[in-house]
Amino acid sequence: MKETIKIKGLDCANCARELEEEISSLEGVRSATVDFMASRVVADCEEGALERVKRCCNNFEEVKVVEDEPVAEISREGRRIKIANLCCANCGRELEEELNAIDGVSATVDFMNMTVVLNAANSEAYDKAIYAITHFEDVRIVDGKPPKRNVFEENKVDIITILISAIFFIPAIVFDLGGFEWAKWYVYIPFYAVAFAFSGYIVLWNTARNVAKGKIFDENFLMAVASVGAIGLGITTGDGLFEGVAVMLLYRIGELLQSIAVGASRRSISDLMDLKSDTATLIDGDRQVVVSPESLKIGDKILVKAGEKIPVDCVIAGGASSLDMKSLNGEAVPRDVGVGDEVLSGAINLTGAITAEVVREYKNSAVAKILELVENSTSKKAKSEKFITTFARYYTPIVVIAAVLLASIVPTVVCGVNAAFAWETYREWIYKALSFLVISCPCALVISVPLSYFGGIGRCARSGILVKGSTSLDALAEATIAAFDKTGTLTEGTFRIVEYSSERALKLAAAAERYSSHPIAAAFKDVRTDYAATDAEEVAGRGIKCRVRGKELLCGNGKFMEENGVAYKRKRSIATLIYVALGGEYVGVIDIDDTVKAGAREALTALREQGIEKTCMLTGDSAERAKAVASKIGMGVTIGSLLPDEKLEEAKKLKKEGKLIYVGDGINDAPVMTVADCAVSMGQVGSDAAIEASDVVLVSDNLALLPEAKKIAKGTRRIVCQNIVGSLVVKFAIMMCSVFIPSFPLIIAIFGDVGVMLLAVANAMRTALIGRGKGA
């Protein structure tokens, strides 16, 4: 049986992993998952083992089982709270830990989007969480949509303090390095002190506060020790304060530039969030009422004037216009629309006023899906992100320990027992240790890797490609095989009757198909029939069975006829054939045809250019029809006449050959999508089940977006690898230089750390340029 246990006191993700391992090793526990974010344990255990699980939790560090707070009381959706003044990703992690330490609260802090997703078991827990947010450093809650600010407004305090520091630092250098001994105590030492005070006060304050909380190994601590240590060495040796102050000032400049770069990335995502229309004009009889898009219902009539955004997905009922669709599909050329055309929310009406009928409520509309997926894109982390998180957890303490050993053990060994207090040797190795501390900050990795994925996902969203997290982006980048459903994916999915053997067969089929949810049934919607069907039953992959005038009516494919013992006249055709039998006697056949999607051939060609080695069509349609479509679009392997379970087996076979992309749109595609490495669904015509099971959603059903998505994914992954490898190589190179090169300047170490961080962030921001003919 599966049991869910609410816990508290779990202070880090690594501790959650260790607790999960301990619980999993208990007798009677089949499996266990520790959810760090939600502070809960889900254990599949035998009867009687639950108490052992609870004891294990209660005996693990500060963790305690919360017996009186049912997990079910915690909201699944959570409240999204917009915040401001969260200064760094590390602070975001600390705020998240503080919130999750509150009883009855689970929270996720999204540094990139400046939001907190808060789940609270009750009002008391919620109030405590709000108090924690508003009393965490300078963080404040933003009511409504935050005003847009320029770079100076966003970083005003940092810019002013850095400028003041630089104003005092520059003349201090001139007097110090110029050899003006008389100015030592009157000019440059006081000026150095003022420069250090303005640039370093926030770092020293954060260090003191974090150490009081038991949090030592963070960038504030490392920089505080490095700069203060350099100042101390400068005073004792008479070399001056230059290097210690320069370390702090350069660090603050680097942090400012990083903040500006991250802010630019945030603004690009904020622009994407402007897709949503704040209001809609509802036509209520003779009145026009301004309402929120969320209040619109299916069937409501709305008015969209020139210059306004389409508030929800709708069908034009009156008027004609041109729409700016680039926010949805990346196309700069406006799309002309008229009566009967479906238009997606988020598009901008450029010319004439139009009236339209709502076909989807706001929560199911294109713009809502885009915003939801972009906002939640950081929740699913790729392996490289998880690696960096784990790496940073161990890397910094290891380097700090190495620095301590360099400053203590090595000089003792070098000097020998009799010269254990040779100050020059100790000073040299302490200096080298300070270089270790400076270069040990993992900022370049911790910021640039998630920023790269964030930019890649945002770039996809601006092209009308919704990617559900960095794991999906990586899977798309690595895929070498692409499999496609046919109907609604490679073809338009809008069927029409092209031929029928008799009027009677046509009318009987129309009576039966009215009870079918299959896309083929839409071809019969305009056929008038005198027959009334009852007891309808749809048989997956076969057809529909019902009763007409007391007799059993069968409408479906040839296999359906054979399985029911009907002697039918087999017809050869590349069209989809619907055979009709009444009371066990064959009545006739109807030819149903579909059209190939424009650009399907070009999309497959582009996919091959992006590294797809094999393309395959998996369809329930007849093999002949599937091959006919395949020949038109240049498809590789084609397998037709598949039942849903057979399609699933074929997909599993393809997975053995390489990483698999599966593209589909129907309910019967959902099982295949769950086994694919990267599942892609059509957002406009795709079923809810297919969209839910997919990793990537093509909003406008344009297959040309798939190779575009593949290109962006590959470019993003390449940039991530560049940042990881480049940052580590430079950092380790500087570490080795600081050890083996005599008098290696500390200032080079800080330049190296800040420089690597800025280069990694700048490189990460190139993800916004990938695609549309632009490389990475």
Side-chain angles (χ1 to χ4, degrees):
M1 62 177 180
K2 280 193 175 182
E3 295 286 350
T4 303
I5 304 168
K6 179 70 180 172
I7 57 176
K8 63 179 181 179
L10 191 62
D11 59 2
C12 71
N14 188 54
C15 297
R17 179 188 58 79
E18 294 175 357
L19 176 58
E20 186 174 288
E21 291 175 356
E22 285 193 20
I23 295 173
S24 299
S25 65
L26 294 175
E27 182 183 352
V29 176
R30 288 182 283 267
S31 66
T33 301
V34 176
D35 188 341
F36 170 61
M37 299 305 302
S39 293
R40 66 185 70 181
V41 176
V42 179
D44 183 4
C45 55
E46 299 173 0
E47 190 174 350
L50 183 60
E51 288 304 317
R52 286 195 289 274
V53 174
K54 290 183 178 180
R55 280 199 300 273
C56 180
C57 293
N58 285 325
N59 293 326
F60 184 86
E61 297 183 359
E62 303 299 322
V63 174
K64 296 297 176 188
V65 173
V66 182
E67 300 284 4
D68 57 345
E69 291 186 14
V71 178
E73 289 184 5
I74 296 182
S75 165
R76 283 182 175 271
E77 297 180 358
R79 179 174 178 183
R80 188 174 295 275
I81 300 170
K82 194 72 179 173
I83 59 175
N85 300 338
L86 188 62
C87 61
C88 68
N90 189 54
C91 297
R93 178 186 59 79
E94 292 177 0
L95 174 58
E96 188 173 281
E97 289 176 356
E98 282 195 22
L99 291 172
N100 285 309
I102 300 172
D103 291 346
V105 170
S106 68
T108 303
V109 177
D110 186 343
F111 172 63
M112 292 304 304
N113 283 320
M114 281 292 178
T115 55
V116 177
V117 179
L118 183 63
N119 297 284
N122 48 55
S123 58
E124 181 183 358
Y126 178 81
D127 291 341
K128 287 182 179 178
I130 296 297
Y131 181 87
I133 293 171
T134 54
H135 287 76
F136 183 86
E137 298 184 358
D138 298 320
V139 173
R140 62 184 179 86
I141 293 176
V142 179
D143 294 325
K145 188 176 181 180
K148 290 189 176 181
R149 298 187 297 171
N150 57 37
V151 172
F152 178 76
E153 289 174 333
E154 287 182 345
N155 303 278
K156 182 166 62 176
V157 174
D158 288 335
I159 291 173
I160 291 173
T161 54
I162 288 172
L163 280 175
I164 294 174
S165 180
I167 288 170
F168 281 90
F169 182 68
I170 293 171
I173 294 176
V174 173
F175 279 95
D176 186 4
L177 302 184
F180 298 101
E181 188 64 27
W182 60 268
K184 180 175 183 179
W185 294 105
Y186 302 103
V187 182
Y188 62 83
I189 286 183
F191 275 36
Y192 274 141
V194 174
F196 185 78
F198 273 94
S199 62
Y201 84 94
I202 188 65
V203 175
L204 297 175
W205 167 250
N206 287 338
T207 299
R209 187 190 61 222
N210 291 340
V211 168
K213 294 179 179 179
K215 300 174 182 177
I216 298 176
F217 296 120
D218 69 348
E219 57 188 10
N220 291 296
F221 174 80
L222 297 174
M223 283 302 159
V225 172
S227 59
V228 172
I231 289 172
L233 287 178
I235 292 173
T236 57
T237 60
D239 292 338
L241 309 178
F242 162 73
E243 206 156 39
V245 179
V247 164
M248 184 62 74
L249 182 57
L250 284 173
Y251 169 70
R252 287 294 308 282
I253 291 173
E255 289 290 293
L256 173 63
L257 295 176
Q258 172 191 289
S259 177
I260 292 171
V262 173
S265 179
R266 282 206 188 105
R267 280 189 292 276
S268 70
I269 296 299
S270 296
D271 293 340
L272 180 65
M273 296 305 182
D274 286 340
L275 278 172
K276 181 187 175 184
S277 173
D278 295 326
T279 61
T281 304
L282 173 67
I283 300 175
D284 184 12
D286 296 331
R287 297 188 307 148
Q288 295 180 7
V289 184
V290 177
V291 298
S292 68
E294 290 86 349
S295 66
L296 293 174
K297 305 295 182 185
I298 295 175
D300 283 348
K301 295 290 193 301
I302 59 173
L303 172 68
V304 185
K305 300 174 185 176
E308 293 181 344
K309 297 185 183 77
I310 307 294
V312 293
D313 299 351
C314 50
V315 171
I316 297 178
S321 185
S322 293
L323 300 182
D324 180 350
M325 300 285 291
K326 63 177 174 287
S327 295
L328 294 172
N329 57 21
E331 294 293 343
V333 179
R335 174 189 167 197
D336 293 331
V337 293
V339 175
D341 290 334
E342 181 175 333
V343 293
L344 298 179
S345 52
I348 300 173
N349 184 16
L350 296 177
T351 54
I354 55 175
T355 58
E357 181 178 330
V358 177
V359 294
R360 296 183 193 91
E361 293 183 359
Y362 173 79
K363 64 182 179 182
N364 297 318
S365 66
V367 70
K369 291 173 184 175
I370 291 174
L371 299 185
E372 179 184 3
L373 289 178
V374 173
E375 286 179 343
N376 295 328
S377 62
T378 55
S379 61
K380 296 182 179 179
K381 294 184 178 180
K383 289 181 180 178
S384 50
E385 283 188 276
K386 294 177 181 177
F387 162 74
I388 290 304
T389 301
T390 304
F391 177 83
R393 186 182 304 123
Y394 297 108
Y395 164 75
T396 305
I398 288 172
V399 174
V400 171
I401 292 170
V404 172
L405 294 177
L406 275 178
S408 57
I409 304 299
V410 176
T412 301
V413 173
V414 171
C415 293
V417 177
N418 295 330
F421 296 99
W423 171 243
E424 278 303 312
T425 303
Y426 271 91
R427 188 198 69 80
E428 178 185 355
W429 285 95
I430 290 173
Y431 191 80
K432 293 178 182 293
L434 294 179
S435 294
F436 257 58
L437 291 180
V438 167
I439 202 64
S440 66
C441 288
C443 303
L445 296 170
V446 173
I447 289 293
S448 67
V449 171
L451 183 60
S452 299
Y453 283 115
F454 192 74
I457 291 169
R459 176 69 187 88
C460 284
R462 285 189 292 277
S463 295
I465 306 160
L466 308 186
V467 182
K468 298 181 180 179
S470 52
T471 50
S472 303
L473 209 63
D474 265 3
L476 184 60
E478 295 171 356
T480 57
I481 299 173
F484 298 81
D485 179 40
K486 180 181 75 67
T487 306
T489 302
L490 296 171
T491 63
E492 292 293 347
T494 52
F495 293 92
R496 55 191 177 88
I497 300 168
V498 294
E499 190 178 345
Y500 51 93
S501 60
S502 68
E503 284 284 344
R504 184 172 178 238
L506 180 63
K507 290 183 176 182
L508 283 170
E513 295 293 345
R514 287 178 180 175
Y515 293 93
S516 173
S517 59
H518 196 280
I520 286 178
F524 295 89
K525 65 180 180 179
D526 296 326
V527 177
R528 299 185 65 179
T529 179
D530 302 325
Y531 299 99
T534 59
D535 302 327
E537 176 189 353
E538 193 159 8
V539 182
R542 292 291 190 263
I544 191 165
K545 180 189 298 184
C546 59
R547 299 194 71 80
V548 169
R549 298 177 182 177
K551 295 181 179 180
E552 185 178 68
L553 173 63
L554 302 175
C555 290
N557 56 27
K559 285 186 178 181
F560 198 31
M561 298 294 115
E562 292 168 7
E563 290 171 356
N564 286 275
V566 176
Y568 69 103
K569 297 178 182 178
R570 181 183 292 273
K571 180 179 180 179
R572 296 190 63 82
S573 173
I574 62 170
T576 300
L577 299 176
I578 303 295
Y579 294 98
V580 182
L582 183 64
E585 294 182 4
Y586 175 65
V587 177
V589 62
I590 299 105
D591 292 43
I592 307 292
D593 200 8
D594 191 7
T595 54
V596 174
K597 278 191 174 180
R601 173 181 280 274
E602 292 77 8
L604 292 178
T605 301
L607 274 176
R608 295 186 187 101
E609 293 173 355
Q610 292 300 323
I612 295 297
E613 301 168 0
K614 180 178 182 179
T615 57
C616 180
M617 183 195 299
L618 305 177
T619 178
D621 206 348
S622 68
E624 293 82 4
R625 175 60 182 157
K627 288 177 181 176
V629 172
S631 66
K632 294 179 181 178
I633 61 176
M635 178 65 70
V637 180
T638 304
I639 306 174
S641 304
L642 294 174
L643 294 174
D645 58 329
E646 293 172 335
K647 187 184 286 190
L648 183 62
E649 290 304 315
E650 292 295 335
K652 290 179 179 178
K653 291 177 185 177
L654 289 173
K655 276 195 69 173
K656 295 177 181 177
E657 301 178 34
K659 296 284 187 178
L660 174 65
I661 298 173
Y662 182 80
V663 189
D665 72 295
I667 294 174
N668 62 335
D669 292 318
V672 188
M673 288 180 165
T674 59
V675 302
D677 296 289
C678 181
V680 181
S681 68
M682 300 294 180
Q684 193 167 345
V685 300
S687 69
D688 290 341
I691 292 174
E692 185 66 28
S694 64
D695 302 295
V696 178
V697 181
L698 307 182
V699 176
S700 61
D701 294 350
N702 182 2
L703 271 179
L705 293 177
L706 185 55
E708 174 83 356
K710 173 78 170 168
K711 184 175 185 179
I712 295 171
K714 288 175 63 181
T716 301
R717 185 172 174 80
R718 184 163 56 248
I719 286 173
V720 167
C721 292
Q722 289 169 356
N723 281 340
I724 292 175
V725 174
S727 298
L728 291 179
V729 167
V730 172
K731 283 180 176 289
F732 283 122
I734 292 176
M735 285 182 185
M736 294 302 101
C737 289
S738 67
V739 172
F740 295 107
I741 297 178
S743 304
F744 185 78
L746 182 63
I747 197 71
I748 294 181
I750 188 64
F751 266 118
D753 179 63
V754 172
V756 167
M757 177 181 66
L758 294 179
L759 285 175
V761 170
N763 195 36
M765 294 180 69
R766 290 197 305 124
T767 51
L769 304 177
I770 304 172
R772 298 296 175 194
K774 298 175 183 176

Short mmCIF file of all heavy atoms in Angstrom, two decimals, residues 46-65:
data_model
loop_
_atom_site.label_atom_id
_atom_site.label_comp_id
_atom_site.label_asym_id
_atom_site.label_seq_id
_atom_site.Cartn_x
_atom_site.Cartn_y
_atom_site.Cartn_z
N GLU A 46 4.74 -2.59 2.95
CA GLU A 46 3.88 -3.66 3.46
C GLU A 46 3.20 -3.20 4.76
O GLU A 46 3.64 -2.26 5.40
CB GLU A 46 4.71 -4.91 3.71
CG GLU A 46 5.38 -5.47 2.46
CD GLU A 46 6.32 -6.62 2.78
OE1 GLU A 46 6.44 -6.97 4.00
OE2 GLU A 46 6.95 -7.15 1.85
N GLU A 47 2.15 -3.92 5.11
CA GLU A 47 1.43 -3.58 6.34
C GLU A 47 2.36 -3.77 7.54
O GLU A 47 3.06 -4.77 7.67
CB GLU A 47 0.20 -4.49 6.49
CG GLU A 47 -0.73 -4.05 7.59
CD GLU A 47 -2.01 -4.87 7.62
OE1 GLU A 47 -2.25 -5.64 6.67
OE2 GLU A 47 -2.76 -4.74 8.60
N GLY A 48 2.41 -2.78 8.39
CA GLY A 48 3.28 -2.82 9.56
C GLY A 48 4.60 -2.10 9.38
O GLY A 48 5.31 -1.81 10.35
N ALA A 49 4.96 -1.79 8.11
CA ALA A 49 6.24 -1.12 7.86
C ALA A 49 6.13 0.39 7.97
O ALA A 49 7.13 1.10 8.02
CB ALA A 49 6.77 -1.50 6.47
N LEU A 50 4.89 0.91 8.01
CA LEU A 50 4.70 2.36 8.04
C LEU A 50 5.34 2.98 9.27
O LEU A 50 5.95 4.06 9.20
CB LEU A 50 3.21 2.70 7.98
CG LEU A 50 2.87 4.19 7.94
CD1 LEU A 50 3.48 4.85 6.72
CD2 LEU A 50 1.35 4.39 7.96
N GLU A 51 5.20 2.32 10.42
CA GLU A 51 5.79 2.85 11.66
C GLU A 51 7.31 2.92 11.56
O GLU A 51 7.93 3.84 12.09
CB GLU A 51 5.36 2.00 12.86
CG GLU A 51 3.90 2.17 13.25
CD GLU A 51 3.56 3.64 13.55
OE1 GLU A 51 4.37 4.32 14.22
OE2 GLU A 51 2.50 4.10 13.09
N ARG A 52 7.91 1.93 10.86
CA ARG A 52 9.36 1.95 10.68
C ARG A 52 9.78 3.15 9.83
O ARG A 52 10.81 3.79 10.08
CB ARG A 52 9.85 0.65 10.03
CG ARG A 52 9.84 -0.55 10.97
CD ARG A 52 10.66 -1.70 10.41
NE ARG A 52 10.01 -2.32 9.27
CZ ARG A 52 9.10 -3.30 9.38
NH1 ARG A 52 8.74 -3.75 10.56
NH2 ARG A 52 8.56 -3.83 8.29
N VAL A 53 8.95 3.45 8.83
CA VAL A 53 9.23 4.60 7.98
C VAL A 53 9.18 5.89 8.80
O VAL A 53 10.04 6.76 8.70
CB VAL A 53 8.24 4.67 6.80
CG1 VAL A 53 8.44 5.96 6.01
CG2 VAL A 53 8.40 3.46 5.89
N LYS A 54 8.15 6.01 9.65
CA LYS A 54 8.01 7.21 10.48
C LYS A 54 9.17 7.36 11.45
O LYS A 54 9.69 8.46 11.67
CB LYS A 54 6.68 7.17 11.23
CG LYS A 54 5.46 7.36 10.33
CD LYS A 54 4.18 7.37 11.15
CE LYS A 54 2.95 7.60 10.26
NZ LYS A 54 1.70 7.61 11.04
N ARG A 55 9.59 6.22 12.06
CA ARG A 55 10.71 6.28 12.99
C ARG A 55 11.99 6.71 12.26
O ARG A 55 12.79 7.49 12.79
CB ARG A 55 10.92 4.91 13.65
CG ARG A 55 9.97 4.62 14.79
CD ARG A 55 10.50 3.49 15.67
NE ARG A 55 10.67 2.24 14.92
CZ ARG A 55 9.70 1.35 14.75
NH1 ARG A 55 8.50 1.57 15.27
NH2 ARG A 55 9.93 0.26 14.06
N CYS A 56 12.16 6.21 11.06
CA CYS A 56 13.33 6.58 10.27
C CYS A 56 13.33 8.09 9.99
O CYS A 56 14.36 8.75 10.11
CB CYS A 56 13.33 5.80 8.95
SG CYS A 56 14.73 6.16 7.88
N CYS A 57 12.17 8.62 9.68
CA CYS A 57 12.06 10.07 9.43
C CYS A 57 12.38 10.86 10.69
O CYS A 57 13.15 11.84 10.66
CB CYS A 57 10.66 10.42 8.95
SG CYS A 57 10.24 9.77 7.32
N ASN A 58 11.79 10.46 11.82
CA ASN A 58 11.98 11.19 13.07
C ASN A 58 13.42 11.14 13.58
O ASN A 58 13.85 12.02 14.33
CB ASN A 58 11.04 10.64 14.15
CG ASN A 58 9.61 11.09 13.95
OD1 ASN A 58 9.36 12.21 13.51
ND2 ASN A 58 8.66 10.22 14.25
N ASN A 59 14.18 10.11 13.17
CA ASN A 59 15.56 9.96 13.62
C ASN A 59 16.57 10.52 12.63
O ASN A 59 17.78 10.40 12.84
CB ASN A 59 15.88 8.48 13.88
CG ASN A 59 15.10 7.93 15.06
OD1 ASN A 59 14.83 8.65 16.02
ND2 ASN A 59 14.71 6.67 14.99
N PHE A 60 16.07 11.13 11.55
CA PHE A 60 16.97 11.67 10.53
C PHE A 60 17.17 13.17 10.76
O PHE A 60 16.27 13.98 10.55
CB PHE A 60 16.38 11.43 9.13
CG PHE A 60 17.28 11.85 8.01
CD1 PHE A 60 18.25 10.99 7.53
CD2 PHE A 60 17.18 13.12 7.45
CE1 PHE A 60 19.09 11.37 6.49
CE2 PHE A 60 18.01 13.51 6.42
CZ PHE A 60 18.98 12.63 5.94
N GLU A 61 18.36 13.52 11.24
CA GLU A 61 18.73 14.92 11.51
C GLU A 61 17.60 15.64 12.25
O GLU A 61 17.14 15.20 13.28
CB GLU A 61 19.09 15.62 10.18
CG GLU A 61 20.31 15.01 9.51
CD GLU A 61 20.72 15.74 8.25
OE1 GLU A 61 20.06 16.71 7.86
OE2 GLU A 61 21.72 15.33 7.65
N GLU A 62 17.10 16.77 11.71
CA GLU A 62 16.06 17.56 12.38
C GLU A 62 14.66 17.25 11.86
O GLU A 62 13.70 17.96 12.20
CB GLU A 62 16.34 19.07 12.19
CG GLU A 62 17.70 19.52 12.69
CD GLU A 62 17.87 19.28 14.18
OE1 GLU A 62 16.88 19.47 14.92
OE2 GLU A 62 18.97 18.90 14.60
N VAL A 63 14.54 16.21 11.04
CA VAL A 63 13.26 15.90 10.41
C VAL A 63 12.28 15.34 11.45
O VAL A 63 12.66 14.54 12.31
CB VAL A 63 13.44 14.88 9.27
CG1 VAL A 63 12.10 14.43 8.70
CG2 VAL A 63 14.30 15.50 8.17
N LYS A 64 11.02 15.77 11.35
CA LYS A 64 9.96 15.26 12.20
C LYS A 64 8.72 14.99 11.35
O LYS A 64 8.42 15.74 10.43
CB LYS A 64 9.60 16.25 13.31
CG LYS A 64 10.74 16.51 14.31
CD LYS A 64 11.13 15.25 15.06
CE LYS A 64 12.32 15.51 15.98
NZ LYS A 64 12.83 14.25 16.58
N VAL A 65 8.02 13.91 11.71
CA VAL A 65 6.76 13.60 11.04
C VAL A 65 5.68 14.49 11.62
O VAL A 65 5.56 14.64 12.84
CB VAL A 65 6.38 12.11 11.23
CG1 VAL A 65 4.99 11.83 10.68
CG2 VAL A 65 7.42 11.23 10.56
#
